[in-house]
């Protein structure tokens, strides 16, 4: 397995809309393993393929305390939502920045697992937030898009300064 570089905001590649995955092969399995290793090392609870410059509909998630509940979502789609809640979010592509984001309180998502089996997941809490956050990445959206234009500009300047100073990629953010 290998650690993968994580794109950081305001990198325009984060705006790329991911395409569906049409077949699951050994190369994809290795990528899934590498994404989990990268996510755990960062450390984070979710990682979308867009964040590692692979623009296909693939997400890895593990919101467990012990990092023992890996979840793979291939070609995910939300089929049902319920309620709203405001949660403080961070992002591996925007390290060190946290902000309140309004999300659905409950989501039902359908996706293929890493073996190509169709799964239906009824999610609440952190898992629901994480699924919505990572699916935004697949649509070319970053959580800072939910901020006011002024706050978004401040984050952009902070990230640009960080890059000019040569800060390491993906430091401890969720």
């Amino acid at each position: 397995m290998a650690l993968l570089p994580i794109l950081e905001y305001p990198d325009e590649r984060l705006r790329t809309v991911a395409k569906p995955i049409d077949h699951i092969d050994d190369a994809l399995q290795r990528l899934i393993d590498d994404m989990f290793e990268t996510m755990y090392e960062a450390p984070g609870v979710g990682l979308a393929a867009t964040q590692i410059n692979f623009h296909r509909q693939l997400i890895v998630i593990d919101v467990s305390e012990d990092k023992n509940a890996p979840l793979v979502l291939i070609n995910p789609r939300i089929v049902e939502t319920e309620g709203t809640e405001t949660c403080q979010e961070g992002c591996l592509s925007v390290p060190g920045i946290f902000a309140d984001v309004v999300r659905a309180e409950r989501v039902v998502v359908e996706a293929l697992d890493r073996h190509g089996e169709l799964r239906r997941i009824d999610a609440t809490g952190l898992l629901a937030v994480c699924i919505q956050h990572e699916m935004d990445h697949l649509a070319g959206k970053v959580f800072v898009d939910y901020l006011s234009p002024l706050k978004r500009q401040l984050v952009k300047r902070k990230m640009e300064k960080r890059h000019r100073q040569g800060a390491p990629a993906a430091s401890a953010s969720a």
Side-chain angles (χ1 to χ4, degrees):
M1 292 194 291
L3 292 177
L4 305 168
I6 297 173
L7 300 178
E8 289 189 357
Y9 179 81
D11 192 311
E12 283 302 312
R13 294 173 290 180
L14 289 168
R15 301 298 183 186
T16 306
V17 176
K19 293 179 174 31
I21 291 176
D22 52 12
H23 66 282
I24 297 171
D25 57 14
D26 289 343
L28 185 67
Q29 297 298 330
R30 283 189 300 277
L31 180 64
I32 290 168
D33 291 338
D34 290 346
M35 285 178 66
F36 273 115
E37 183 177 4
T38 301
M39 179 190 75
Y40 289 137
E41 180 69 23
V45 295
L47 185 66
T50 300
Q51 293 176 274
I52 53 135
N53 202 30
F54 181 73
H55 302 287
R56 297 286 184 224
Q57 294 177 12
L58 171 63
I59 295 169
V60 299
I61 293 173
D62 190 340
V63 297
S64 68
E65 289 289 323
D66 299 329
K67 305 301 179 206
N68 62 358
L71 178 64
V72 175
L73 303 176
I74 298 171
N75 302 334
R77 63 187 186 94
I78 293 175
V79 296
E80 189 179 325
T81 64
E82 182 180 293
T84 60
E85 65 179 335
T86 302
C87 295
Q88 178 129 125
E89 293 186 23
C91 180
L92 295 176
S93 291
V94 194
I97 305 296
F98 299 88
D100 287 340
V101 178
V102 177
R103 301 275 188 194
E105 184 176 34
R106 176 180 163 265
V107 296
V108 177
V109 64
E110 290 182 348
L112 300 178
D113 67 12
R114 73 180 301 157
H115 306 292
E117 298 293 322
L118 182 62
R119 300 284 183 228
R120 184 177 176 99
I121 298 159
D122 191 332
T124 59
L126 180 58
L127 180 57
V129 170
C130 192
I131 288 169
Q132 293 169 84
H133 178 107
E134 301 308 332
M135 286 185 69
D136 275 354
H137 280 299
L138 299 182
K141 190 171 186 176
V142 182
F143 93 104
V144 297
D145 295 342
Y146 291 94
L147 305 179
S148 71
L150 177 61
K151 286 184 181 176
R152 195 167 41 250
Q153 188 62 33
L154 290 172
V155 169
K156 184 177 180 182
R157 284 189 195 132
K158 183 175 182 176
M159 294 302 295
E160 287 170 341
K161 180 179 179 184
R162 172 186 162 81
H163 294 150
R164 282 192 306 273
Q165 293 174 341
S171 62
S173 294

